[in-house]
């Protein structure tokens, strides 16, 4: 048995198949895959990992009464993420940001995971390849799910935007209704709505964050073009790829890395900018339990409906960035 501790969810006793999976190479690799892509290169505080998120999603599913199989699926849902997470989607121009999903079956099949699950009497294909089975783990926008809730709470807590007290108060109002994650009252839904758009607009779309991912994308495109990197390299950890870039001996890449680490950026305008960046549409409209039924918050609150529409418009517009490169 292994006692895991997570600041959001507390202690978790991992044993059996969950412990073996946590200790496996595919899951341990996620300790070196950072959630925000290039975020940590431009702000050291933005340093959550896919490992912390994956374990957190598993804990949240467990907290809400999810089965062992759904906890397994939660722990492994991001195991195919490449180095720098979604940056590879920008490199490959995958607008749905789903490259890790496209390679998921292959990555799992060639790993130790099928053997571990088989030894526990579990079929990896049944558990991992039918995402629709796990209604707590994943839901299409705008509904809540363990994946969406965990990355929001985890990122905002690490960034200092929310407190543990706020996190725990919200989690206490998170319930399961007809196998779906919902809020037990309006105030909890309003709080998460505000938190989610802090995450998407304040963090994902922060000009510095957007610049970091843009600059790293350009570096990787050039490195692939010059055969400094191959797609197989992205199945390693972030630092492995950074090392290959730094040791490439290619001056243009060295200069671009220097700009990534040291540039200053500010928000521009549609008429004055160096880079215009957009991101995948991410939005929520949490369900709230009302008189034994669930109702979207947008139908209960005029303000919530306004917030959602304004957020959508902001996301569609994207971010205009002015870059001040190091001298």
């Amino acid at each position: 048995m292994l006692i895991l501790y997570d600041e959001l969810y507390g202690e978790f006793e991992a044993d059996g198949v969950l412990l073996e999976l946590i200790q496996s190479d595919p899951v341990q690799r996620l300790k070196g895959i950072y959630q925000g892509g290039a975020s940590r290169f431009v702000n050291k505080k933005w340093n959550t990992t896919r490992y912390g998120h994956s374990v957190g999603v598993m804990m949240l599913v467990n907290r809400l009464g999810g089965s062992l199989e759904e906890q397994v699926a939660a722990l492994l849902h991001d195991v195919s993420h490449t180095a720098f997470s979604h940056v590879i989607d920008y490199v490959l121009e995958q607008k749905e940001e789903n490259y890790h999903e496209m390679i998921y079956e292959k990555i799992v099949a060639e790993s130790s995971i099928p053997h571990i699950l088989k030894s526990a009497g579990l079929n990896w294909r049944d558990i991992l390849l039918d995402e629709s089975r796990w209604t707590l783990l994943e839901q299409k926008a705008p509904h809540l799910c363990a994946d969406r809730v965990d990355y929001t709470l985890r990122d905002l807590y690490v960034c200092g935007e929310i407190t543990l007290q706020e996190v725990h108060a919200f989690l206490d109002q998170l319930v399961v209704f007809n196998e779906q994650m919902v809020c037990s009252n309006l105030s909890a839904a309003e709080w998460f709505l505000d938190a989610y758009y802090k995450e998407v607009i304040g963090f994902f779309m922060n000009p510095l964050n957007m610049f970091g991912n843009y600059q790293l994308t350009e570096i990787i495109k050039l490195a692939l073009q010059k055969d400094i990197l191959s797609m197989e390299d992205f199945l390693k950890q972030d630092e492995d790829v950074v090392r290959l870039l730094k040791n490439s001996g290619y001056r243009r890449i060295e200069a671009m890395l220097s700009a990534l680490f040291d540039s200053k950026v500010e928000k521009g305008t549609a008429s004055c900018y160096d880079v215009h960046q957009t991101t995948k549409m991410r939005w929520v409209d949490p369900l709230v339990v009302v008189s034994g039924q669930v109702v979207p918050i947008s139908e209960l609150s005029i303000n919530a409906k306004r917030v959602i529409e304004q957020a959508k418009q902001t996301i569609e517009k994207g971010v205009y960035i002015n870059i001040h490169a190091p001298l």
Side-chain angles (χ1 to χ4, degrees):
M1 180 183 294
L2 176 67
I3 305 296
L4 300 175
Y5 178 77
D6 183 90
E7 286 192 281
L8 302 186
Y9 311 113
E11 289 188 353
F12 181 89
E13 294 183 359
D15 57 12
V17 67
L18 289 176
L19 176 57
E20 194 168 355
L21 287 169
I22 289 168
Q23 294 177 332
S24 69
D25 289 342
V27 175
Q28 289 294 307
R29 183 184 74 94
L30 298 179
K31 289 181 176 179
I33 308 296
Y34 286 82
Q35 186 98 341
S39 298
R40 73 186 183 94
F41 297 132
V42 295
N43 187 329
K44 291 181 180 179
K45 290 197 305 182
W46 297 343
N47 61 2
T48 57
T49 67
R50 289 283 161 187
Y51 175 82
H53 168 62
S54 297
V55 171
V57 175
M58 176 193 70
M59 289 184 176
L60 182 52
V61 168
N62 173 269
R63 177 189 175 104
L64 293 171
S67 66
L68 172 64
E69 289 83 357
E70 188 160 8
Q71 291 175 59
V72 167
L75 176 64
L76 300 177
H77 80 284
D78 272 354
V79 78
S80 59
H81 258 292
T82 55
F84 313 124
S85 292
H86 286 294
V87 170
I88 200 68
D89 291 305
Y90 312 143
V91 171
L92 300 177
E93 300 181 1
Q94 294 283 343
K95 295 188 181 298
E96 291 302 310
E97 299 185 17
N98 62 349
Y99 180 72
H100 69 290
E101 296 173 8
M102 295 168 61
I103 64 173
Y104 186 80
E105 182 175 357
K106 181 177 186 293
I107 295 299
V108 172
E110 295 177 357
S111 74
S112 58
I113 290 169
H115 174 73
I116 293 171
L117 293 179
K118 184 178 180 180
S119 297
L122 301 172
N123 185 305
W124 72 274
R125 292 181 181 277
D126 290 345
I127 294 174
L128 302 181
L129 299 186
D130 185 6
E131 189 178 272
S132 63
R133 292 181 62 187
W134 311 125
T135 55
L136 297 179
L137 169 59
E138 295 287 358
Q139 288 284 334
K140 290 183 178 180
H143 300 310
L144 301 186
C145 63
D147 182 22
R148 199 166 286 128
V149 167
D150 181 84
Y151 72 64
T152 301
L153 300 182
R154 191 167 301 278
D155 284 344
L156 292 182
Y157 172 66
V158 168
C159 292
E161 293 290 332
I162 57 176
T163 66
L164 275 183
Q165 184 178 5
E166 289 175 309
V167 169
H168 294 157
F170 170 71
L171 290 173
D172 286 342
Q173 304 304 320
L174 203 57
V175 298
V176 179
F177 189 98
N178 290 339
E179 300 184 341
Q180 193 166 354
M181 188 182 299
V182 302
C183 295
S184 63
N185 58 58
L186 182 62
S187 62
E190 289 175 329
W191 182 86
F192 188 79
L193 188 73
D194 178 64
Y196 189 76
Y197 292 122
K198 280 183 182 176
E199 168 80 348
V200 175
I201 297 172
F203 176 56
F204 290 165
M205 297 180 68
N206 182 297
L208 187 57
N209 206 352
M210 295 288 266
F211 161 73
N213 285 332
Y214 162 80
Q215 184 72 3
L216 184 56
T217 297
E218 295 303 301
I219 292 169
I220 290 171
K221 283 182 176 180
L222 179 59
L224 287 170
Q225 178 186 339
K226 298 296 183 181
D227 292 324
I228 293 166
L229 296 178
S230 68
M231 288 303 295
E232 288 70 28
D233 290 323
F234 294 94
L235 300 179
K236 302 172 184 176
Q237 295 181 320
D238 289 11
E239 281 303 319
D240 297 318
V241 182
V242 170
R243 194 175 301 111
L244 290 171
L245 291 170
K246 286 182 175 179
N247 293 337
S248 67
Y250 195 74
R251 289 187 177 180
R252 176 60 181 153
I253 285 180
E254 291 174 1
M256 293 172 77
L257 281 172
S258 177
L260 169 63
F261 299 143
D262 299 324
S263 291
K264 308 298 181 184
V265 305
E266 61 185 11
K267 197 169 184 178
T269 66
S271 59
C272 181
Y273 66 93
D274 295 316
V275 174
H276 176 233
Q277 286 290 94
T278 57
T279 187
K280 173 183 174 181
M281 175 59 69
R282 292 179 171 89
W283 68 293
V284 292
D285 189 359
L287 296 174
V288 184
V289 179
V290 179
S291 301
Q293 295 183 329
V294 289
V295 183
I297 191 176
S298 60
E299 295 181 15
L300 300 171
S301 165
I302 294 174
N303 181 62
K305 185 175 183 178
R306 177 183 58 80
V307 168
I308 291 169
E309 290 307 314
Q310 287 181 346
K312 283 184 174 181
Q313 291 172 16
T314 300
I315 296 166
E316 287 176 353
K317 179 181 175 182
V319 178
Y320 295 93
I321 307 168
N322 286 321
I323 304 169
H324 304 285
L327 297 177

